[in-house]
Amino acid sequence: MSRIALAIALSVACCIAGTISLPAHATATNSPPCTPKITKIHGQQAGVNCGPATAILRVGGKTYTFRHGFCQKSKMAGTALELTLGTTVLGDDKRNAGQPSFDITVAKTHAASIGFAYYGGRDLLKNDLQLIEVKGNIPSKGTFSSWATATVKFSGSWNCHGLVWQGP
């Protein structure tokens, strides 16, 4: 999914609230815990995410921590987890205007992908889409690692900190 389509989908999802029951380990909520802030960074449209979710990415011997986002499940999209952390700057596909940003999507079948990971003006994964293997208490928290065939080897974890929004 392109970054623009992802940002539009996130904005729409944040405006629409759906409800179904969630597992006992997550707090049920019928609306997002907060609304991402839309702003401009270096003249580019940007979405600044909010919420308690975090992720850690280990790549190239370094560890990167991402904050400020929330976990979402979407029955319509067929996802068990959609997580976008940090700030997404539209129109700067190579450096994300220096802002940290992380995106992960886990399908119901536990097939998963990382859409992007930027930190300090660098594209950490050198690609807009990386397939990953996931384990854990999906969607609440878990671990992930790159497939053996990936050109960039990485691993990490995410934690929704007890809050998973059931989106449309």
Side-chain angles (χ1 to χ4, degrees), residues 4-121:
I4 294 172
L6 179 64
I8 290 169
L10 179 62
S11 297
V12 170
C14 290
C15 296
I16 302 170
T19 59
I20 71 168
S21 63
L22 293 174
H25 60 272
T27 300
T29 177
N30 62 359
S31 62
C34 55
T35 302
K37 178 182 173 188
I38 304 301
T39 189
K40 286 195 174 194
I41 297 176
H42 303 298
Q44 301 289 332
Q45 193 81 1
V48 180
N49 291 300
C50 54
T54 58
I56 295 171
L57 176 66
R58 291 182 243 3
V59 60
K62 294 185 180 180
T63 300
Y64 303 90
T65 301
F66 298 88
R67 302 182 196 293
H68 309 297
F70 58 88
C71 298
Q72 173 182 328
K73 291 174 62 172
S74 173
K75 191 171 185 175
M76 282 179 44
T79 58
L81 170 67
E82 296 174 31
L83 174 60
T84 303
L85 302 169
T87 301
T88 301
V89 180
L90 301 179
D92 190 354
D93 291 339
K94 296 187 181 190
R95 295 196 175 98
N96 200 48
Q99 302 298 308
S101 184
F102 178 84
D103 176 80
I104 188 172
T105 301
V106 179
K108 286 183 180 179
T109 61
H110 300 294
S113 66
I114 291 183
F116 48 86
Y118 295 96
Y119 203 94

Side-chain angles (χ1 to χ4, degrees), residues 106-131:
V106 179
K108 286 183 180 179
T109 61
H110 300 294
S113 66
I114 291 183
F116 48 86
Y118 295 96
Y119 203 94
R122 293 182 39 224
D123 179 353
L124 299 177
L125 302 179
K126 312 282 188 239
N127 195 336
D128 283 341
L129 182 65
Q130 294 281 342
L131 297 177

